[in-house]
Amino acid sequence: MKDTHLPPAILIMGPTASGKTAAAMALADRFPVELISVDSAQVFVDMDAGTAKPDKAMLAQYPHRLIDIITPEESYSAARFRDDALAAMAEITAAGKVPLLVGGTILYFRSLMQGLADLPQADAGLRAEIDAAAARFGWPAMHAKLAELDPSTAARLHPTDSQRIQRALEICRLSGRPMSELLAESESQKPPYDFLSIGLLPSDRTVLHKRIERRFDEMLLAGLDEEVRMLRQKYDLNLGLPSMRCVGYRQAWEYQEGLYGKPEMRDRGIYATRQLAKRQITWLGNGFPADENFDCLDPALPQRIAERADAFLNA
C-alpha cells in the first residue's frame, strides 16, 4: 500500500548489463525524477571506459548525482554513500521531484534502506596477518575458515572474494562474534520515504553472459587499457586500492605488468564480470529482495517499468 504521508522514491537494482540505465532514462522521459547513481566504481573521476559510466552527452540530458565525486586514490564507503544519498534525496524532494536511485552496488542500497551495523574499525595488523595466511593457504581456505566462524556470511560470498572474506574474518576476530549476527542486530533505519524497489533479473543467464562479453569488448574498444595507463601516470595507485580492484581495471593492470597477454586479459575480465553479476543476483535473490522483479531480457522492459512507476506515483 502506498504511504501518502511520505514522499516517493524509486530504486532500480540489478546485475551488470541488465539494462538499468535504459530503464532509468525511460522513467526520466516520463516522470519528474532525478537520478542518483548507486555504483561503487562510477564514483571515481577519470574512470570512464571500464565502469559503463554514462558519457557527457547522456549526463547532460540525464544528470546523475554521485558520479565523479572522488579520485581513484581515495576510498568510498557504504556509510558515506548513505549520507550522500540521503542528502541528495532531501534536495530532490525539496525541489518537488522524485529521487530515482539506480545501480548495481547492492550493499549501498542495503545501507540506505537498513542502516549500518556498529562494526569494528579496520585493523591493519590483523589484515596483514589474514593476507599472509591467504598467501600461504589460498582464499578458498580462508573462505572455509569463515564458514566455520560465520556460515551465514560465508554462504553469500564467493570463495575468492578476498576483500569481503578478509573483512568478515577481521570482524569475527576483533568482535568475537559473526558479522552476520552484528548486522542482524542493527536497528532498521529506513529513510522517511515511500519506496518502490525494482529488481532486474535475467530469465536466461546465458543471454546475460553474452551481454557481458559484448560490453567488455566495447570497454576495450573504448580504451580501457589506455585509460589504466593514464591513471597510473596521473595518480599514486596500487592494486590494493578499491578503484583498482574494480573489474576490468585489475586485469588491465596485471596485463600491463606482463603477467599475461591481451587475449587472457580479456578472458579474465569477462570471467570476473560474470562472477560479479552472479554475486549481484545472489544479493538480490537472497539478501536484499526487491518489491517487484522484472525480466531484464524482456525487450519491453523500459515500458513495463514505466507502467509500474506510473501506477506507484499516481496511486
Side-chain angles (χ1 to χ4, degrees), residues 61-297:
Q61 185 175 0
Y62 303 99
H64 288 55
R65 299 197 185 211
L66 305 191
I67 282 181
D68 291 340
I69 58 176
I70 61 172
T71 74
E73 297 170 314
E74 300 176 84
S75 296
Y76 193 74
S77 67
R80 180 174 170 186
F81 167 79
R82 189 173 199 272
D83 291 341
D84 289 348
L86 288 173
M89 292 172 71
E91 291 178 3
I92 293 168
T93 299
K97 295 186 177 182
V98 178
L100 172 57
L101 293 93
V102 184
T105 304
I106 312 304
L107 177 62
Y108 285 6
F109 279 114
R110 183 171 179 174
S111 73
L112 173 68
M113 298 293 287
Q114 300 178 358
L116 295 161
D118 185 17
L119 301 178
Q121 295 294 314
D123 184 300
L126 179 54
R127 288 194 170 190
E129 182 182 327
I130 294 171
D131 283 342
R136 181 179 179 185
F137 301 108
W139 283 108
M142 305 307 290
H143 181 267
K145 179 65 176 177
L146 178 63
E148 298 175 6
L149 300 171
D150 186 354
S152 178
T153 298
R156 62 177 179 79
L157 297 182
H158 190 272
T160 59
D161 191 349
S162 59
Q163 188 174 3
R164 291 181 175 84
I165 294 171
Q166 178 198 63
R167 178 58 175 155
L169 286 170
E170 177 185 46
I171 289 170
C172 287
R173 292 276 298 275
L174 291 174
S175 68
R177 300 172 63 193
M179 184 173 76
S180 57
E181 188 176 296
L182 295 174
L183 291 173
E185 287 183 355
S186 64
E187 295 182 2
S188 177
Q189 302 175 42
K190 186 174 181 179
Y193 286 86
D194 180 28
F195 285 99
L196 168 64
S197 59
I198 292 173
L200 307 185
L201 295 173
S203 55
D204 185 343
R205 292 200 191 188
T206 302
V207 178
L208 183 67
H209 288 171
K210 291 179 180 178
R211 281 191 183 183
I212 288 171
E213 182 175 355
R214 184 167 61 250
R215 171 176 282 191
F216 196 82
D217 284 337
E218 290 171 353
M219 290 177 177
L220 292 176
L221 289 173
L224 173 61
D225 181 31
E226 294 80 1
E227 183 172 274
V228 173
R229 293 183 190 278
M230 176 274 294
L231 292 169
R232 296 180 68 175
Q233 292 178 354
K234 185 173 181 179
Y235 300 101
D236 182 16
L237 302 176
N238 61 73
L239 279 180
L241 289 169
S243 60
M244 293 300 104
R245 288 190 178 188
C246 290
V247 169
Y249 289 87
R250 171 179 289 275
Q251 289 75 28
W253 181 302
E254 292 174 344
Y255 157 66
Q256 292 171 12
E257 291 294 298
L259 298 183
Y260 37 76
K262 203 160 191 176
E264 186 175 352
M265 182 264 280
R266 173 187 178 271
D267 292 343
R268 284 173 175 262
I270 291 171
Y271 176 77
T273 309
R274 288 178 177 175
Q275 292 301 112
L276 170 62
K278 181 179 179 180
R279 292 193 297 271
Q280 291 168 316
I281 291 169
T282 299
W283 269 91
L284 284 171
N286 300 321
F288 193 73
D291 294 329
E292 189 167 345
N293 289 319
F294 290 81
D295 177 11
C296 69
L297 306 180

